[in-house]
Amino acid sequence: MRPLQMVDLKQQYQKIKTEIDAAVLGVLESTAFINGPAVQRFAAALAQYNGAKHVIPCANGTDALQIAMMALDLQPGDEVITPSFTYIATTEVIALLRLTPVFVDVDPKTFCIDPAAIEKAITPKTKAIVPVHLYGQAANMDEIMRIASAHNLYVVEDNAQAIGCDYTMKNGGVRKTGSIGTIGTTSFFPSKNLGGYGDGGAIMTNDDALAEKLRMIANHGQKVRYYHEMVGCNSRLDTLQAAVLEIKLNHLDEYINARRSVADYYDKAFANHPAITTPFRAGYCRHVFHQYTLILEGIDRNGLHDYLAARNVPSMIYYPVPAHRQRMFEAFGSAATNLANTDWLTERVISLPMHTELDEEQLHFITSQVLNYCNQ
Ligand SMILES: *Cc1c(COP(=O)(O)O)cnc(C)c1O
């Protein structure tokens, strides 16, 4: 059996090596390392794929969030509603910009921000909602967009974990996550569903004026070179990454299907086990399984992690400390916030290996080991 990994980038690379190597060598030959032709080609292809009018490539998913938030002209102290049950980047950029993160609870089934909790957290200072499509499943965007429009709030979708996720709106229209809110952001970190061979990110919007502003902010606030109209930053997707991503985007749907097959296998193996809850699949979207995350009840979760590790089966806790309990946010008094579902999930979730290269022998081994522990 091939050794198990949370993500197997090597095996995936081997399958597209000829294409990738040629593209990378092409960039080296051209020496167009910054803003080479592949960058705009990839941005256009991603806009087409995602059904977004504009895609602005940038250096990573954290920058994408920061630039998105900078473009909204928020003032220090303005409140931004976000889940605590997420990767730190989502919440960190809010504080970095001197805005106030307001942490709300998640729906324990979808792991995503709970619309009812958003409504309760709105104050006259609230300016934006930042939902996270966690583990590859969309937050309830119909509800979030309804609340946002009723209260005149911006919506920035953190789509770092759900690129390619189809969302069926209440009116029947199908949209990709990241193209529903005011702005969507994503990451091309190597382990993401569309991962480069280094860092990368992108911002997307359907709003022309906002797109121009996002582009300027990512480029030192300039539209015309050396004329800086606003304070921005320097955040670029480099050409080598764009060349890799251009190829991998063509495989994204096939990668999503491979992930979904792994999830189906896991679902079947764990079905009806009284202590294991397999991932809920919301009817409004097609889960792209960035992670496959179980909820364990009445089982020593850390014990399972160690048991698996001893048998060379990796597993991960995403995330061991929710944002509102991080020291980073002490000054916001966030630890006092009562987020019962977030705390409950934090104690019980465990993610199993999930990638495009898992075969049946590996899946059989992983699921047998998990069940051995849970049945002992
Ligand atoms: C990965 C990730 C980010 C940050 O992306 P980087 O490219 O690592 O900066 C932001 N939000 C979420 C939910 C992520 O998973």
Side-chain angles (χ1 to χ4, degrees), residues 28-40:
L28 297 187
E29 287 296 335
S30 77
T31 68
F33 300 120
I34 301 295
N35 290 331
V39 177
Q40 272 325 302

Side-chain angles (χ1 to χ4, degrees), residues 12 19 83 85 87 155 158 177 180 187 198 202 220 232 246 261 266 278-279 284 304 319 329-331 352 359 362 369:
Q12 195 192 54
E19 265 182 292
F85 196 69
Y87 180 57
V155 175
D158 183 344
T177 52
I180 303 168
S187 162
H220 296 295
E246 201 181 3
S261 302
Y266 281 147
T278 56
Y284 53 64
L304 172 61
Y319 297 92
F329 295 120
E330 247 170 31
L352 299 179
D359 63 31
Q362 293 176 308
Q369 297 311 313

Side-chain angles (χ1 to χ4, degrees), residues 17 37 57 74 77-78 84 95 101 112 119 128 132 142 153 163-164 174 218 222 226 250-252 257 273 345:
K17 182 173 162 39
L74 307 182
D78 282 351
S84 168
C112 292
E119 253 177 332
V132 181
D142 279 296
L153 307 174
I163 194 158
V174 178
Q222 65 190 333
Y226 303 128
N250 292 327
H251 295 276
L252 180 56
N257 288 335
H273 193 290
L345 288 172

